[in-house]
């Protein structure tokens, strides 16, 4: 019995119902046919025996929380920086000046994207640090389903953090490249935010769905950007390291990042993109 898994809870409930009916049947037959004692009215007891420790159960819950917070920080971290460095400069009439410098389109893309990437990485690390400090200051946290109060700061270590960063960095790069592309295709800062809202809604859905109870991760999900990162982080938090899934997930996110980067660099050569009229 694994109380942290929806399938295990469902199986236990169904099995308990069947055994309760069988127990009642035996009891009724004994009452009807024999002279029995009170002890015979309860032929056997039904109880659950968890197959995981309290520490493991707590570690899954707290690690999932850290994973989702880090991923959301990675998605929101580069948005405003990248948009301000692209459509924001268009509004300030400084982007045209930048194009007069002896820089290639690749140089411009890398400089601005790496700036956004630095901000996103900092947001991820600060998000982790803030959560860690919060739980360190307020260590007593009530567990779920009768799990005793524990110190959750003991559940996240350097190993978990390193694994999280390996999985999440390609997503940070993807989010930074996507933010740059949306910014360069927009005429103003306001328009860029308007374009990014639908993307953020879809990305948030992809991020949350894999963390819902009963979700069954399959290898094909490793090809879906953002969702694959959530699945990998949650599985790592559970102690399940699927090298095939994680490798495909990383390569998939890197591939999407390269595609967006190529499209962004080519967009810098189009006059209708660079010299859009700012309203």
């Amino acid at each position: 019995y694994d109380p942290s898994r929806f399938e295990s809870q469902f199986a236990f409930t169904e099995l308990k119902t069947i055994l309760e009916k069988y127990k009642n049947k035996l009891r009724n037959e004994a009452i009807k046919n024999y002279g029995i004692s009170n002890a015979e009215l309860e032929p056997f007891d039904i109880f659950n025996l968890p197959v995981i420790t309290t520490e493991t159960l707590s570690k899954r819950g707290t690690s999932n929380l850290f994973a989702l917070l880090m991923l959301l920080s990675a998605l929101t971290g580069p948005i405003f920086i990248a948009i301000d460095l692209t459509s924001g400069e268009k509004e300030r009439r400084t982007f045209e000046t930048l194009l007069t410098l002896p820089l290639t389109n690749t140089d411009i893309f890398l400089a601005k994207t790496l700036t956004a990437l630095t901000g996103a990485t900092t947001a991820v690390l600060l998000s982790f640090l803030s959560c860690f400090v919060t739980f360190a200051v307020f260590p007593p946290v009530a567990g779920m389903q009768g799990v005793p109060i524990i110190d959750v700061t003991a559940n996240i270590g350097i190993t978990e953090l390193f694994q999280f960063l390996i999985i999440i960095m390609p997503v940070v790069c993807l989010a930074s490249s996507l933010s740059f592309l949306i910014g360069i295709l927009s005429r103003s800062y306001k328009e860029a935010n308007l374009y990014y809202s639908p993307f953020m809604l879809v990305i948030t859905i992809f991020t949350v769905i894999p963390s819902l109870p009963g979700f069954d991760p399959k290898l094909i999900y490793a090809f879906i950007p953002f969702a694959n990162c959530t699945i990998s982080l949650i599985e790592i938090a559970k102690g399940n390291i699927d090298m095939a899934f994680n490798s495909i997930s990383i390569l998939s996110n890197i591939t999407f990042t390269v595609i967006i980067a190529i499209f962004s660099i080519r967009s810098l050569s189009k006059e209708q993109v660079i010299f859009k009229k700012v309203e």
Side-chain angles (χ1 to χ4, degrees), residues 94-113:
T94 57
F95 202 89
E96 293 85 348
T97 306
L98 179 63
L99 296 176
T100 63
L101 299 177
L103 299 172
T104 64
N105 292 341
T106 303
D107 293 334
I108 296 175
F109 170 79
L110 289 178
K112 293 182 178 296
T113 304

Side-chain angles (χ1 to χ4, degrees), residues 170 174 221-225 228 246-259:
L174 177 57
Y221 297 144
F223 296 94
I224 303 177
N228 52 18
N246 293 343
S247 299
I248 295 175
S249 173
I250 293 173
L251 291 176
S252 175
N253 290 326
I254 291 176
T255 300
F256 279 102
T257 301
V258 172
I259 293 174

Side-chain angles (χ1 to χ4, degrees), residues 5-7 206 208-218 221 227 231 234-235 238 245:
R5 297 185 59 191
F6 175 78
E7 298 88 343
F206 283 171
V208 174
I209 288 180
S211 64
L212 297 178
F215 182 83
D216 184 21
K218 299 179 181 179
Y221 297 144
I231 296 172
I234 291 177
E235 290 302 311
K238 292 180 180 180
F245 187 97

